[in-house]
């Protein structure tokens, strides 16, 4: 079944020439995609879940666009705690003929383990005359999920085969969880889809991501940059798109910030202003 589906997708892909994103293009429809939802909680912090934060932020972006960019129609992939599949999200975007796809997510880091001394215990080893008393140190392992890592990044769909590893990993020696679903680039059909998307939309997606990151930087947030990844969440929409990671839910300060109304509005404003800047640039034909 899956093979048939892939074959049809490939057939459709080869017949369909994806039109490149044109200069002078009017941006009139924007898809806002709140990551995860329903049974899919996304990343978990000390007291909050990614799926709730992405929805709260996405609704605020929608409010800002509706209030201030009157010629832009907002299309949500979800407006409540439900889980549309990635395929369904792509279908919503494609059927609407949207011009941009913005997927909002929250970053996290893996658990790490610390061995802590809790005391000592006396044990006896050996037999008969060789029996000796030993004092052993007792440890317990504590699981941590907090990080000092902070900031925002924008991910675009592109081949990562020849790409450098994420800069944050180099900076901090700590890995970010590869939480978004990645495509298998070794599959030739997937490679074709990525190549087609890249040709049509990579440069405009990078421009959009750069515009959003610029706004976060203006707010004083740490800018982790725009990165290419083979993201499944962006691979089925035929329009420029970006996945914004708004901060680290495993960083206590950022978790508090992203749970606050003020923090959510600031994040929404950065993304809204980035969309607006991109729209103005695209419509001026530059
Ligand atoms: Zn996510």
């Amino acid at each position: 079944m899956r093979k048939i589906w892939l074959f049809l997708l490939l057939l459709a892909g080869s017949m369909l020439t994806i039109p490149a994103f044109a200069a002078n293009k009017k941006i009139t429809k924007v898809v806002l995609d709140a990551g995860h939802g329903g049974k899919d909680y996304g990343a978990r912090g000390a007291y909050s879940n990614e799926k709730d934060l992405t929805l709260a932020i996405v609704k605020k972006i929608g409010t800002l666009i509706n209030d201030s960019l009157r010629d832009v129609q907002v299309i949500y992939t979800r407006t409540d705690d439900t889980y549309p599949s990635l395929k369904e999200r792509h279908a919503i975007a494609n059927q609407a003929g949207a011009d941009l796809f913005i997927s909002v997510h929250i970053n996290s880091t893996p658990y790490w383990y610390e061995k802590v001394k809790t005391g000592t215990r006396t044990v006896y080893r050996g037999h008969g005359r060789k029996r000796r008393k030993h004092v052993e140190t007792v440890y317990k392992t504590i699981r941590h999920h907090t990080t000092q890592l902070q900031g925002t990044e924008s991910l675009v769909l592109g081949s990562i085969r020849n790409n450098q590893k994420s800069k944050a990993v180099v900076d901090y020696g700590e890995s970010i969880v590869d939480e978004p679903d990645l495509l298998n680039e070794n599959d030739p059909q997937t490679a074709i889809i990525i190549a087609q998307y890249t040709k049509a939309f990579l440069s405009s997606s990078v421009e959009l991501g750069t515009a959003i990151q610029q706004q976060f930087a203006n707010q004083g947030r740490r800018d982790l940059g725009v990165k290419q990844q083979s993201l499944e969440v962006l691979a089925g929409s035929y329009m420029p798109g970006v996945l914004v990671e708004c901060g680290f839910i495993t960083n206590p300060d950022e978790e508090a910030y992203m749970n606050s109304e003020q923090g959510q509005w600031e994040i929404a404003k950065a993304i809204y202003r980035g969309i607006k800047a991109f729209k103005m640039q695209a419509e001026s034909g530059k």
Side-chain angles (χ1 to χ4, degrees), residues 152-198:
T152 71
E153 59 183 349
S154 289
L155 310 177
V156 297
L157 175 64
S159 175
I160 52 170
R161 277 186 175 170
N162 304 312
N163 249 31
Q164 291 174 327
K165 276 201 163 182
S166 149
K167 187 172 176 291
V169 176
V170 179
D171 282 356
Y172 296 89
E174 184 177 4
S175 60
I176 297 174
V177 172
D178 265 340
E179 163 258 318
D181 291 327
L182 296 181
L183 296 162
N184 174 16
E185 288 188 59
N186 294 321
D187 173 40
Q189 288 150 336
T190 305
I192 290 170
I193 293 167
I194 295 179
Q196 284 193 339
Y197 182 98
T198 299

Side-chain angles (χ1 to χ4, degrees), residues 35-45 48-54 78 81 83 105-106 179 249:
H36 312 275
K39 62 182 186 212
D40 174 12
Y41 282 68
R44 291 167 192 255
S48 58
N49 297 309
E50 177 177 5
K51 66 169 186 171
D52 301 315
L53 298 179
T54 59
R78 68 178 177 103
D81 188 20
Y83 180 77
H105 286 252
I106 310 290
E179 163 258 318
I249 203 166

Side-chain angles (χ1 to χ4, degrees), residues 53-107:
L53 298 179
T54 59
L55 185 61
I57 292 165
V58 150
K59 284 184 173 172
K60 289 178 170 68
I61 303 169
T63 301
L64 291 168
I65 292 177
N66 287 332
D67 287 353
S68 308
L69 287 178
R70 293 292 175 85
D71 59 335
V72 175
Q73 184 194 346
V74 174
I75 297 135
Y76 296 99
T77 55
R78 68 178 177 103
T79 52
D80 55 17
D81 188 20
T82 51
Y83 180 77
S85 68
L86 295 185
K87 234 189 200 173
E88 284 163 347
R89 293 172 205 242
H90 296 151
I92 290 168
N94 291 331
Q95 279 162 21
D99 303 304
L100 299 179
F101 187 89
I102 314 279
S103 192
V104 172
H105 286 252
I106 310 290
N107 247 327

Side-chain angles (χ1 to χ4, degrees), residues 8-282:
L8 289 175
L9 190 71
L10 182 69
L11 191 69
S14 59
M15 291 190 303
L16 183 93
T17 318
I18 303 174
F21 191 76
N24 274 321
K25 180 160 175 59
K26 288 268 179 220
I27 308 290
T28 58
K29 288 178 188 171
V30 175
V31 173
L32 299 179
D33 174 47
H36 312 275
K39 62 182 186 212
D40 174 12
Y41 282 68
R44 291 167 192 255
Y47 53 85
S48 58
N49 297 309
E50 177 177 5
K51 66 169 186 171
D52 301 315
L53 298 179
T54 59
L55 185 61
I57 292 165
V58 150
K59 284 184 173 172
K60 289 178 170 68
I61 303 169
T63 301
L64 291 168
I65 292 177
N66 287 332
D67 287 353
S68 308
L69 287 178
R70 293 292 175 85
D71 59 335
V72 175
Q73 184 194 346
V74 174
I75 297 135
Y76 296 99
T77 55
R78 68 178 177 103
T79 52
D80 55 17
D81 188 20
T82 51
Y83 180 77
S85 68
L86 295 185
K87 234 189 200 173
E88 284 163 347
R89 293 172 205 242
H90 296 151
I92 290 168
N94 291 331
Q95 279 162 21
D99 303 304
L100 299 179
F101 187 89
I102 314 279
S103 192
V104 172
H105 286 252
I106 310 290
N107 247 327
S108 73
T109 47
Y111 288 101
W112 56 278
Y113 297 88
E114 183 187 17
K115 213 173 165 188
V116 199
K117 216 184 210 177
T118 57
T120 57
R121 72 174 167 218
T122 306
V123 293
Y124 294 89
R125 289 201 193 105
H127 297 284
R129 287 171 52 194
K130 288 189 175 167
R131 190 165 171 81
R132 296 282 183 276
K133 183 175 166 181
H134 296 268
V135 177
E136 275 186 349
T137 309
V138 179
Y139 297 95
K140 75 169 176 184
T141 304
I142 301 177
R143 190 171 80 154
H144 294 281
H145 202 194
T146 56
T147 181
Q148 298 296 310
L149 206 56
Q150 56 170 291
T152 71
E153 59 183 349
S154 289
L155 310 177
V156 297
L157 175 64
S159 175
I160 52 170
R161 277 186 175 170
N162 304 312
N163 249 31
Q164 291 174 327
K165 276 201 163 182
S166 149
K167 187 172 176 291
V169 176
V170 179
D171 282 356
Y172 296 89
E174 184 177 4
S175 60
I176 297 174
V177 172
D178 265 340
E179 163 258 318
D181 291 327
L182 296 181
L183 296 162
N184 174 16
E185 288 188 59
N186 294 321
D187 173 40
Q189 288 150 336
T190 305
I192 290 170
I193 293 167
I194 295 179
Q196 284 193 339
Y197 182 98
T198 299
K199 196 175 155 206
F201 306 124
L202 180 62
S203 66
S204 42
S205 299
V206 169
E207 276 174 35
L208 175 61
T210 305
I212 291 170
Q213 287 304 123
Q214 181 61 53
Q215 296 299 327
F216 279 125
N218 290 351
Q219 292 178 343
R221 300 288 305 281
R222 191 182 160 90
D223 174 13
L224 300 176
V226 179
K227 290 162 194 159
Q228 286 187 40
Q229 287 204 350
S230 51
L231 298 165
E232 191 172 359
V233 65
L234 298 176
S237 319
Y238 299 118
M239 64 208 69
V242 63
L243 186 155
V244 185
E245 297 276 14
C246 302
F248 287 83
I249 203 166
T250 44
N251 177 316
D253 293 339
E254 291 208 327
E255 184 177 19
Y257 178 73
M258 292 187 292
N259 273 278
S260 70
E261 279 289 308
Q262 187 212 337
Q264 289 174 2
W265 277 113
E266 276 181 20
I267 291 165
K269 272 179 197 155
I271 296 171
Y272 157 74
R273 287 178 184 148
I275 294 168
K276 188 179 169 186
F278 177 85
K279 173 178 158 68
M280 287 170 69
Q281 199 182 340

